[in-house]
Amino acid sequence: MVLRAPTGPHPVGEPLPIEVELRNISDAAVWVVGVLDGSEAGMRFPHFRTAVLHGGRTVYRPLVEDPLVGPLLRSHFRRLRPGESFDPSAGRDDGYFPLSVFTQFRPVERGPYQYRLTFSSESARPEQWFGRFGQRADEQDLLIDLISRVPRGVLTAMVDVTVS
């Protein structure tokens, strides 16, 4: 997983266009899921936890989201061939969400900032991926099978930027 920001200094008070790339570096196809409602706040898996740091301290985290996150759907799963990548926060047709911290934060002070993203697929139970309403019981076995195909792990990516 890689985070990218445009090079050069960035103006105070403007959001920075941070790009996310999740790439399959294995020699086999893998299944992944992008950012779903509740993922950024850690309310469901996969987790996409964001933070912005300035002067070594966290200055912005996601706001608490509505705990009634929607159902996990078959269409949320994406198969990545070896070497293939995608932005897990850029989809609209597949139900993925932008990362609110990266789209909403506007630095108010000059200096160096660090944007951080931690992805986790390490759930204790497959049900931790499901939504809190509207989850169809007749699809749960298929979804549990797909969840089991998502590689388990935690990835962290950071990008440093200068605000002037």
Side-chain angles (χ1 to χ4, degrees), residues 9-16 54 105-111 113 162-164:
H10 303 282
V12 170
E14 295 296 321
L16 281 80
H54 179 63
F105 175 68
R106 296 173 183 268
V108 295
E109 295 180 37
R110 294 180 177 159
Y113 285 80
T162 301
V163 173
S164 60

Side-chain angles (χ1 to χ4, degrees), residues 58-74:
T58 300
V59 293
Y60 201 80
R61 291 188 186 270
L63 302 174
V64 175
E65 297 178 35
D66 183 348
L68 296 176
V69 297
L72 179 66
L73 306 172
R74 164 70 178 88

Side-chain angles (χ1 to χ4, degrees), residues 3 9 28 34 36 41 71 81 92 105 108 141 146 155 157 160:
L3 295 183
L36 303 175
R81 295 184 306 268
R92 299 296 178 268
F105 175 68
V108 295
D141 289 340
L146 286 170
L155 305 170
D160 295 322

Side-chain angles (χ1 to χ4, degrees), residues 70-101:
L72 179 66
L73 306 172
R74 164 70 178 88
S75 62
H76 291 148
F77 290 84
R78 182 177 183 133
R79 187 175 181 262
L80 291 181
R81 295 184 306 268
E84 188 176 11
S85 65
F86 84 114
D87 181 342
S89 66
R92 299 296 178 268
D93 296 335
D94 47 20
Y96 300 154
F97 285 76
L99 293 164
S100 65
V101 167

